[in-house]
Amino acid sequence: MSGTPSLVQTSCTRRLVSCRLWSMTSHIAMFSIAAHGHVNPSLEVIRELVARGHRVTYAVPPLFAEKVAETGAEVKPWNSTLPGPDDDPAAWGSELLDHVELFLADAMQALPQLAEAYQGDEPDLVLHDITAYPARVLAHRWGVPAISLSPNLVAWEGYEEEVAEPMWAEPKSTERGQAYYARFQGWLRENGIGLDPDAFVGRPDRSLVLIPRALQPNADRVDESVYTFVGACQGGRGAEGEWRRPVSAEKVALVSLGSSFTKRPDFYWECVRAFGDLPGWHLVLQIGRQVDPAELGAVPENVEVRSWVPQLAILRQADLFVTHAGAGGSQEGLATATPMIAVPQAVDQFGNADMLQGLGVARRIDTEDATAEALREAALALVDDPEVARRLKEVQAEMAQEGGTRGAADLIEAQLRA
């Protein structure tokens, strides 16, 4: 009878229901460090996974526990030895080995903490930030798949020869560099991992890239069987607060150097000089927690000085973004089609600044060259250039097709089913 399901149909239906029930109760574990640029990009993905019925735990230092808990994930706190976002950037050192030694030492002391936190509560799948080395070790130990959530650019075919090897040539030739590699290699071997440190850090088995493809250098040479660009996963950000554009403002400029490398009072004063007496302009100046507003002295009425701002809410109404070109800020500028002046401060920000300039949506000005005159000239040129506006709209449209939060969650669920 046509109205009666066959045994095959019934069997298939039961299998689909069973699969769905299994996926709804999956335990997914996310691991990250206490840094805004590494935690923030993952939050909307976590929120979406929780909304889909998964049990999600998130291992993160206590400083970010409240922010993570707002997604609905269960926080697994652990103690980190890395400098925090409010610490002086000098705590990270000034050389490549300074940075990587800190990450390795933190990973080695964190692994026992995290293993104990998950004892008897092992997940079905591990998600991890690119700096969360213990996560990949634990996934190997538990025999579960691991997916990297990359908040910035990823390696392309030829990356090692073009970038990594020249960058590491001098450090690897030193006794200190060789000791670092030996220590890292020994730690991996102790945990049953046969990869060398470079491959362990830079070549994940699977990665979701949480930046737009437009920000990825040599995107045509990225292995798409490993890396999938899902683009910005921003969400509504309502919890961060609102901001209202002043009625009298004809143009609004936002200045932010992110959360870490913000100890730049001289730069902020140049920004005040650049925009403070521009007719019709309103300046929102985020200075971070390392600078006292009193250091800037009296500022004009059209200058709003804050330690922290709801950045995305402002960008949705702004005409210009003066940014350090971190991955998060860069993609927020692109997603809101806001012209940018990129003033990079550290690590990947220099490359991002060049990418933004190459896209035709920004001007790069290095910190030492960021005078009031240079900032003002670049600002006026950018906001009045129809070609800049056209390119921003093009990139914005491309980003909208990349999948975002839902696309990332779909791919994670696909890995669970596999």
Side-chain angles (χ1 to χ4, degrees), residues 125-175:
L125 181 142
V126 164
L127 302 176
H128 63 92
D129 178 71
I130 55 175
T131 57
Y133 303 164
R136 200 170 179 188
V137 171
L138 289 171
H140 174 79
R141 184 180 298 181
W142 296 328
V144 301
I147 301 177
S148 162
L149 299 185
S150 179
N152 51 29
L153 65 85
V154 296
W156 55 88
E157 295 308 310
Y159 172 84
E160 284 78 10
E161 296 82 3
E162 296 166 19
V163 178
E165 289 176 8
M167 180 172 64
W168 275 100
E170 193 278 327
K172 280 185 174 181
S173 69
T174 67
E175 184 177 340

Side-chain angles (χ1 to χ4, degrees), residues 203-222:
R203 291 290 182 176
D205 294 328
R206 184 75 175 93
S207 179
L208 302 184
V209 191
L210 308 182
I211 65 169
R213 190 178 179 87
L215 281 177
Q216 169 67 40
N218 301 303
D220 59 329
R221 287 196 275 149
V222 171

Side-chain angles (χ1 to χ4, degrees), residues 11-294:
S11 175
C12 287
T13 300
R14 286 174 177 167
R15 286 175 62 195
L16 287 169
V17 171
S18 174
C19 181
R20 180 61 179 162
L21 288 172
W22 175 77
S23 71
M24 289 289 281
T25 58
S26 297
H27 175 193
I28 301 169
M30 172 68 192
F31 297 79
S32 191
I33 61 170
H36 291 284
H38 292 265
V39 173
N40 290 349
S42 71
L43 293 179
E44 293 307 315
V45 178
I46 299 304
R47 194 188 312 278
E48 177 70 13
L49 291 169
V50 171
R52 294 186 184 198
H54 298 285
R55 177 180 172 231
V56 184
T57 55
Y58 200 126
V60 71
L63 183 62
F64 281 80
E66 184 176 350
K67 175 176 274 195
V68 166
E70 289 173 355
T71 67
E74 302 172 32
V75 179
K76 296 265 192 182
W78 60 279
N79 296 315
S80 174
T81 58
L82 292 174
D86 293 332
D87 292 334
D88 190 325
W92 286 97
S94 59
E95 299 178 11
L96 178 59
L97 281 171
D98 295 335
H99 306 329
V100 296
E101 285 174 344
L102 287 171
F103 279 114
L104 178 58
D106 189 53
M108 293 174 74
Q109 67 87 34
L111 181 60
Q113 295 182 58
L114 293 167
E116 182 178 1
Y118 279 92
Q119 186 171 2
D121 191 26
E122 291 83 4
D124 301 298
L125 181 142
V126 164
L127 302 176
H128 63 92
D129 178 71
I130 55 175
T131 57
Y133 303 164
R136 200 170 179 188
V137 171
L138 289 171
H140 174 79
R141 184 180 298 181
W142 296 328
V144 301
I147 301 177
S148 162
L149 299 185
S150 179
N152 51 29
L153 65 85
V154 296
W156 55 88
E157 295 308 310
Y159 172 84
E160 284 78 10
E161 296 82 3
E162 296 166 19
V163 178
E165 289 176 8
M167 180 172 64
W168 275 100
E170 193 278 327
K172 280 185 174 181
S173 69
T174 67
E175 184 177 340
R176 179 186 173 191
Q178 292 162 9
Y180 162 77
Y181 263 86
R183 188 162 63 253
F184 204 149
Q185 190 84 69
W187 182 64
L188 293 176
R189 293 293 180 271
E190 287 170 11
N191 287 285
I193 295 177
L195 297 172
D196 65 66
D198 292 333
F200 177 81
V201 172
R203 291 290 182 176
D205 294 328
R206 184 75 175 93
S207 179
L208 302 184
V209 191
L210 308 182
I211 65 169
R213 190 178 179 87
L215 281 177
Q216 169 67 40
N218 301 303
D220 59 329
R221 287 196 275 149
V222 171
D223 184 351
E224 294 184 1
S225 69
V226 174
Y227 302 99
T228 302
F229 289 88
V230 296
C233 300
Q234 295 171 341
R237 304 277 185 89
E240 294 184 356
E242 297 298 324
W243 182 85
R244 290 187 176 227
R245 181 182 178 121
V247 176
S248 60
E250 297 174 17
K251 301 286 186 186
V252 170
L254 169 64
V255 175
S256 172
L257 296 183
S259 58
S260 297
F261 298 91
T262 60
K263 198 172 183 179
R264 294 287 190 184
D266 292 342
F267 168 72
Y268 298 138
W269 181 241
E270 292 298 323
C271 292
V272 172
R273 287 184 55 226
F275 299 100
D277 61 354
L278 265 182
W281 281 72
H282 181 83
L283 174 64
V284 183
L285 185 59
Q286 177 181 286
I287 62 173
R289 293 180 174 84
Q290 298 169 14
V291 174
D292 187 334

